[in-house]
Amino acid sequence: NDSAEHLAQIVQRFGKSAQRVVSSNPFYTNERITTTVLQQIMEILATDGKFVMANFRIRSMLRVIGAFGRENCTTDFVFNVPPPPVTILTVQARKPNGGMKH
């Protein structure tokens, strides 16, 4: 029961890092919070860890790619069946060697 802005503190309480972080967080609403959350995700990911995001907004996908770097990301588009059809964007990002890109 806490904010994703405190993700690193929460994970560090257990003295661990994360192999996977899965999110559907809307990374388009508040730039400061988005930057903080992405930094927290990067901080807790193990060296070979991955971040997976599913969202409906291209802008969210672009924020993750901007933070992790295009070379560290793969993307997919998944089409949902119920009317109306919904496009779900997914990004799988691996932890960059030098931290956040920007």
Side-chain angles (χ1 to χ4, degrees):
N1 294 333
D2 204 340
S3 170
E5 292 177 275
H6 307 125
L7 191 58
Q9 293 171 340
I10 294 165
V11 171
Q12 288 169 355
R13 279 186 217 149
F14 300 98
K16 305 228 178 224
S17 59
Q19 287 296 322
R20 299 286 184 272
V21 174
V22 179
S23 172
S24 63
N25 194 22
F27 290 128
Y28 60 88
T29 54
N30 181 301
E31 189 170 337
R32 182 194 61 78
I33 292 172
T34 296
T35 300
T36 300
V37 170
L38 289 171
Q39 287 171 337
Q40 296 289 305
I41 290 168
M42 243 179 274
E43 188 174 324
I44 66 160
L45 277 178
T47 304
D48 58 345
K50 294 214 166 71
F51 171 59
V52 179
M53 187 231 18
N55 204 291
F56 300 105
R57 309 266 182 173
I58 289 177
R59 188 170 172 194
S60 294
M61 181 181 72
L62 295 175
R63 295 293 298 269
V64 173
I65 291 170
F68 280 79
R70 166 60 69 196
E71 67 280 4
N72 296 309
C73 296
T74 57
T75 59
D76 283 311
F77 295 91
V78 179
F79 297 96
N80 201 355
V81 179
V86 175
T87 303
I88 300 173
L89 309 168
T90 64
V91 179
Q92 183 172 344
R94 68 177 193 266
K95 184 173 184 171
N97 292 333
M100 277 187 72
K101 299 295 179 180
H102 59 87

